[in-house]
Amino acid sequence: MSEPGADQAAIAADLLTWIRQNENLAPAWFLDDGSAAPELAGVGQMPTAEAPTAEASAPAAPTPRATAAAAAVAATVPESAEPAAGDPAFEAACAAFVAGTLALIDREGVPAGGTQPPDPLLAQHGGDKAAALAALGAEVLPCTKCALHATRQHTVFGAGSPDAEIVFIGEAPGQDEDLQGEPFVGRSGQLLTKILGAIGYAREDVYICNILKCRPPNNRDPLPAEVEQCEPHLRRQLAILRPRAICCLGRVAAQTLLGTDASLGKLRQSAHFYAGIPVTVTFHPAALLRNPAWKRDTWDDVRRLRALVDALRSRSAATDS
Ligand code: SF4
């Protein structure tokens, strides 16, 4: 029979490992960058193991002992945390990402707002983006260009600010979105709202939509023929919105929009362009619900996105003045 002290130490070690791997399971979005371990009174030092990488598999399941003990100490895990102040390695990488993207924009001669001309609906509505978007939405809602119209409950056109600096784009509506006619509702939508809040945006500040406006049966990936029929709707949305940047949510959205089969891990590392608009890529919130350990990488992605948009705004203000 083992010593009670040894049992306690083993339980604490299991529990600390599990909490470290799964700290983002706390009730609120736990936005530390992985460098600041939460202090748990009376259970010693946190392990110093490397955080899982983006392409790692799902976090380890808790051991039975850790599961049993987790409830007892859950209250000691902070519900939310400010990101650790000062992270020289990330800041340097972020600055390089922004500088590299701006240099690419200069090299390619990409105009602000993208390479597409403003949509004619803008002129028809006197430059009123909200009115132009509403008019486009009214055109798209009854669309029957592909077979998905037959199985949809609602066409999910998009939602958010007509003056958004950033457009977030997913692949297609899911079940909740199809039922409600709104993009990114349900648990993944709530998580997206928290992610936006972490970089200083309310959900109403940005615009959110999908590549496909109707739900594919059983949430399967979009088919090329469906994308071909639906993509013009997205292009027209963007030609009205003319955002500073796009953020693709998830592998399928990124691969479909960018016409590539590169991995999500690769696509996340640099900026791309769609219709002349800079595009960054991060995880889909639904993937984060399944794999909370990926939140750390998402936090880096969205901070880079925010820094890029800040730089583009500053540059635009300097040009205008
Ligand atoms: S998915 Fe797009 S193209 Fe297909 S019916 Fe819906 S709106 Fe039209």
Side-chain angles (χ1 to χ4, degrees):
M1 193 171 159
S2 60
E3 293 292 314
D7 274 352
Q8 254 187 347
I11 289 170
D14 281 352
L15 181 59
L16 286 168
T17 302
W18 179 75
I19 288 173
R20 187 64 177 150
Q21 291 171 332
N22 296 274
E23 58 194 359
N24 291 328
L25 288 174
W29 168 261
F30 189 79
L31 269 178
D32 82 309
D33 64 0
S35 61
E39 293 285 340
L40 297 181
V43 286
Q45 295 297 305
M46 300 296 288
T48 55
E50 292 278 310
T53 63
E55 298 300 306
S57 57
T63 65
R65 284 185 303 192
T67 304
V73 297
T76 66
V77 180
E79 287 198 353
S80 63
E82 289 298 313
D87 179 351
F90 172 77
E91 283 165 13
C94 186
F97 172 84
V98 171
T101 305
L102 294 180
L104 189 59
I105 288 171
D106 290 341
R107 232 177 14 251
E108 300 288 325
V110 174
T115 50
Q116 293 194 118
D119 191 89
L121 283 172
L122 261 182
Q124 285 175 30
H125 290 275
D128 183 336
K129 287 184 174 184
L133 276 176
L136 180 61
E139 280 182 36
V140 171
L141 291 190
C143 174
T144 56
K145 283 170 62 186
C146 83
L148 295 181
H149 80 275
T151 49
R152 74 182 170 214
Q153 298 296 315
H154 289 96
T155 305
V156 184
F157 178 66
S161 169
D163 299 313
E165 294 186 308
I166 310 173
V167 175
F168 289 84
I169 302 180
E171 64 197 72
Q175 185 176 33
D176 290 335
E177 290 78 16
D178 182 47
L179 289 173
Q180 298 182 40
E182 289 284 321
F184 284 88
V185 293
R187 284 182 68 219
S188 65
Q190 289 164 13
L191 181 53
L192 178 59
T193 302
K194 289 179 181 177
I195 294 169
L196 295 174
I199 54 167
Y201 288 101
R203 193 175 165 109
E204 300 73 30
D205 295 334
V206 304
Y207 195 87
I208 303 169
C209 61
N210 289 296
I211 297 171
L212 294 188
K213 309 306 184 194
C214 304
R215 182 192 180 205
N218 302 315
N219 296 344
R220 63 156 167 73
D221 290 352
L223 299 177
E226 293 160 355
V227 174
E228 189 183 337
Q229 293 301 323
C230 209
E231 199 179 1
H233 299 324
L234 176 64
R235 282 186 173 267
R236 291 191 67 190
Q237 268 176 309
L238 293 170
I240 293 171
L241 290 159
R242 303 178 68 75
R244 296 192 197 283
I246 290 168
C247 180
C248 277
L249 297 169
R251 176 186 60 81
V252 176
Q255 290 181 339
T256 305
L257 198 73
L258 300 172
T260 175
D261 58 3
S263 70
L264 181 67
K266 188 150 191 275
L267 291 169
R268 287 180 46 245
Q269 298 309 313
S270 58
H272 315 269
F273 291 91
Y274 179 78
I277 302 166
V279 178
T280 65
V281 176
T282 191
F283 294 91
H284 194 288
L288 299 179
L289 292 172
R290 293 191 298 271
N291 302 291
W294 293 350
K295 286 182 175 181
R296 289 195 194 95
D297 292 312
T298 304
W299 176 223
D300 286 352
D301 295 342
V302 294
R303 283 188 294 174
R304 277 196 297 263
L305 169 65
R306 175 64 200 247
L308 176 62
V309 170
D310 287 349
L312 291 168
R313 190 190 315 108
S314 298
R315 174 182 266 215
S316 161
T319 309
D320 293 346
S321 63

